[in-house]
Amino acid sequence: MLILPLPARHDWTRPPLATILIMILCLIAFLMQGSDQKRSADAWRFYQQSGTAQHEMTAYLADLEQRGKTAKAAEVRQQAARHDPAVFQTMERDSDFMQRLRSNRVITASHADFPIWRSNRTRFEALRARIVTERFSLNGHDPSLASLFTHMFLHGDIMHLSGNMAVLFVVGYTVEAALGPLGFLGLYLIGGLGAALPDLLVPATAYSYSLGASGAISAVMAAYLVLFGRRRIDFFYWLFFVFGTARWPALAILPVWLANELLQNFVFDRGGHVNYMAHFAGLLSGALLIGAYRWRRQGQSAALVHRQDADQARLLQQRKAEQLVAEMQFGPAALAYRKLLAEHTATDPRIVEEYLRIARLARQPELLTDAQRQLLKAAADQPRSVDPTLLAEALDAMPRALPKLTVAQWEGIAGRLIVSGQLDTAERLLLRLMSHPDNRSAALRQADRLADAFIAIGDAERAALMRRLSGSRLAAPAASAE
């Protein structure tokens, strides 16, 4: 079973730096792991050929007998008789024995072959220290402080790496945008520590080392779901031969993911080499961390999620208006656009332009006037994004009393008209603005630009009028020719 959220639209003006950093660290670690198979083979070849393996196994069997673990000793002896390589893993998982062995309390200095054994053991440990996976992964039987963090960046093979990185990017981009880079790094590291708890509390017997990138990424996945809560988001699902996409409440998938990890661990892949309990603990850790984050915000999610809610609501209203247009119900469609713009102020100017076109078809003067004012407001905020022809038509249709805009906004609108060649409308607008003391300064500044535009099309008379209004003197043609 596979259920994954579909990627959201990404804004590369604010790249996910922390997510990319983690991906780079995972890639570097994987490249460092690339020669581990050869390093491991070299170490174990030396261990066998030097006689160290036989020497230590003999000592281990004697130690088990001495401690009264005769049944365990018999089991190990049978493994050794079958030349089962797992017998050495059994020995190494006996942390008490290995601690005493390494501190020279099993094979002591009183043994005749102690110097040779000690030299070989030191050489063997040096060879194993070169194995990146063993050195930096988490050994639940003998953990180190450093490995609690380094194991979060390790992977078993290229498929493990590529799958994890794809999932991390899909969910990490949104989670980092919500929490910020530092918050996301904290989530990854703390979630990864939470994922390591099962290995620390009940070390697994099916494997010696834990590669914990999947556990930390599971924390990020759960964080993604809890951030969106009961909101419906898009998922890709794959169950045996059935696959597709569906839109479900985000939080409803969390218990499905948790149950899947438990079923895999205890039923379907019992005794396997996948650390399902690390996935389970990672999911739980990420959910609890973001649950605490939302609790501190009095139940509110991140601002990014609320913006996406607003975007989704805007999109639904826009689709409703477009459907009404398709059905040629222009009056209701114009009302739908009016509602859309009233509830979502930061709307694409193209929506405003569509509203104006539909308001004309609706033949309702009130809606047409409102659409013209909306277009003017959009032009005031983003002059270059509005169709200059529609802007000119809206201004020409305006009553004598112009809407209240700032001086800078009127100046931007006038400049847009001049640059786009709507000179007649620009001239009428400047004359109207000059009659208002508050807007006169903007009109005077644009008058010179309009005069230059008139000269460019050969209309010296209207250019001279603009020069006189702005207080400038019309340059002589001969002077301008020089």
Side-chain angles (χ1 to χ4, degrees), residues 300-360:
Q300 294 295 310
S301 189
L304 169 77
V305 177
H306 293 292
R307 286 198 301 273
Q308 290 189 6
D309 285 347
D311 290 343
Q312 182 65 27
R314 177 193 57 76
L315 183 60
L316 290 174
Q317 287 182 289
Q318 182 179 341
R319 286 175 178 171
K320 179 181 178 181
E322 291 170 349
Q323 181 62 34
L324 290 169
V325 172
E327 297 171 358
M328 301 186 70
Q329 299 184 46
F330 301 122
L335 288 171
Y337 276 117
R338 182 177 186 176
K339 181 181 178 183
L340 170 63
L341 294 170
E343 295 179 0
H344 305 278
T345 53
T347 304
D348 190 332
R350 287 173 293 185
I351 301 298
V352 183
E353 294 175 357
E354 185 64 15
Y355 174 33
L356 178 57
R357 294 187 182 98
I358 301 304
R360 286 175 180 162

Side-chain angles (χ1 to χ4, degrees), residues 153-297:
F153 302 92
L154 299 179
H155 292 85
D157 53 41
I158 187 64
M159 294 302 295
H160 189 201
L161 173 72
S162 56
N164 268 354
M165 293 303 95
V167 172
L168 176 62
F169 186 78
V170 167
V171 297
Y173 193 108
T174 300
V175 175
E176 181 178 343
L179 303 182
L182 293 180
F184 181 78
L185 281 174
L187 169 71
Y188 188 89
L189 295 175
I190 298 173
L193 290 176
L197 284 177
D199 285 312
L200 298 176
L201 298 176
V202 187
T205 58
Y207 45 84
S208 300
Y209 299 97
S210 177
L211 312 181
S214 295
I217 293 170
S218 294
V220 178
M221 293 169 64
Y224 184 93
L225 298 183
V226 178
L227 276 173
F228 283 95
R230 291 177 295 178
R231 296 167 176 84
R232 290 181 173 270
I233 60 176
D234 295 320
F235 288 91
F236 169 79
Y237 64 88
W238 179 18
L239 182 61
F240 299 110
F241 302 105
V242 180
F243 61 91
T245 61
R247 191 170 183 81
W248 296 317
L251 203 54
I253 302 303
L254 182 58
V256 177
W257 282 351
L258 290 169
N260 179 62
E261 299 303 331
L262 292 178
L263 286 172
Q264 293 291 340
N265 187 74
F266 294 109
V267 180
F268 299 122
D269 194 20
R270 190 173 183 178
H273 287 77
V274 177
N275 197 344
Y276 295 109
M277 292 311 296
H279 300 172
F280 178 86
L283 289 169
L284 204 57
S285 299
L288 292 174
L289 286 169
I290 299 303
Y293 165 83
R294 293 192 61 169
W295 176 75
R296 292 198 63 181
R297 293 169 59 88

Side-chain angles (χ1 to χ4, degrees), residues 19 41 43 80 96 102 109 124 137 149 187 198 205 214 223 256 265 271 318-319 332 352 362-363 384 400 442 458:
T19 303
D96 175 64
R102 292 189 177 106
F124 175 59
S137 59
F149 295 94
L187 169 71
T205 58
S214 295
V256 177
N265 187 74
Q318 182 179 341
R319 286 175 178 171
V352 183
R363 299 182 181 278
R384 296 184 179 180
R400 183 65 183 170

